[in-house]
Amino acid sequence: MNRPLLFLDVDGPLNPYAAKPERRPEGYTTLRVPRNDVPQEDRGFSPRRPLRVWLNPEHGPILLQLDFELCWATTWMDDANRWIAPVLGLPKLPFVDFGDLLLQERPDGVHWKTGPLVDYAGGRPFAWVDDEQSELDQAYVTAHHQGAGLLHHVNPRIGLRENDFHTLADFALSLGASRPTS
Ligand SMILES: [Mg+2]
């Protein structure tokens, strides 16, 4: 019933943007998104050229099989439903609306996503898949979040792999063991 949340970043875990540009990773497909439709941080210095996004269509079904409730946690926000979800075979998902905090660096070094994600979770257990968390974020979550919280880091040169999905499944399983079954 009350499954944990899985906060999903796009650029890094699902789109291994830092992989060698001349070689698309195996299993991935290429999506080209007009610059006007991409997050501010991805607009870069060539506003006329579409943004290249690599996505692996196998990732959607795997994510859906995990015992989580999926939620976008990305600068793409609702645009992830328009551009990313269809390629992965994901339904329209809820997303965290970062509002004015989008890309706003904090003086204490905690990632700008961390506070909004903890607030969104409201004490509900969550896993957060991203390529940008640090120990400061773990400390913030430990201090401000009541339930279990897994910050799972993914290398943006590699993206999500089988091992990552195992880690997420194990986390959900560890929570399920303490959940009432009736
Ligand atoms: Mg990222």
Side-chain angles (χ1 to χ4, degrees):
M1 217 23 216
N2 199 12
R3 296 191 295 174
L5 290 158
L6 179 53
F7 289 129
L8 278 173
D9 180 30
V10 169
D11 295 311
L14 292 168
N15 168 29
Y17 64 86
K20 283 189 179 160
E22 66 276 14
R23 185 192 277 191
R24 183 174 68 187
E26 206 182 318
Y28 282 75
T29 184
T30 303
L31 173 72
R32 295 190 192 277
V33 184
R35 287 284 161 169
N36 285 342
D37 288 333
V38 306
Q40 198 182 332
E41 63 171 349
D42 293 329
R43 290 203 184 142
F45 302 107
S46 50
R48 282 154 196 265
R49 291 175 55 196
L51 177 75
R52 186 209 63 206
V53 178
W54 281 328
L55 295 170
N56 187 332
E58 287 179 13
H59 285 169
I62 298 172
L63 287 166
L64 288 172
Q65 277 176 22
L66 293 172
D67 197 10
F68 285 91
E69 195 174 301
L70 306 180
C71 179
W72 296 119
T74 164
T75 50
W76 290 78
M77 296 204 287
D78 199 19
D79 284 335
N81 283 320
R82 181 176 170 202
W83 292 101
I84 310 299
V87 180
L88 296 177
L90 289 173
K92 187 173 156 67
L93 299 176
F95 66 97
V96 179
D97 187 343
F98 295 106
D100 292 342
L101 297 176
L102 185 72
L103 296 169
Q104 293 305 307
E105 274 187 39
R106 293 170 52 131
D108 60 4
V110 173
H111 197 281
W112 55 267
K113 285 183 187 175
T114 312
L117 296 190
V118 166
D119 292 347
Y120 187 99
R124 189 171 165 188
F126 70 81
W128 171 23
V129 169
D130 205 290
D131 59 317
E132 291 185 355
Q133 313 103 329
S134 74
E135 287 167 15
L136 293 171
D137 301 301
Q138 185 62 67
Y140 183 96
V141 169
T142 304
H144 295 95
H145 178 64
Q146 303 270 325
L150 174 71
L151 274 58
H152 186 69
H153 188 267
V154 175
N155 186 331
R157 281 181 292 159
I158 296 168
L160 280 165
R161 287 244 177 112
E162 208 176 326
N163 272 350
D164 301 300
F165 295 119
H166 285 311
T167 301
L168 293 169
D170 287 347
F171 175 72
L173 203 61
S174 73
L175 299 172
S178 58
R179 252 186 283 159
T181 48
S182 59

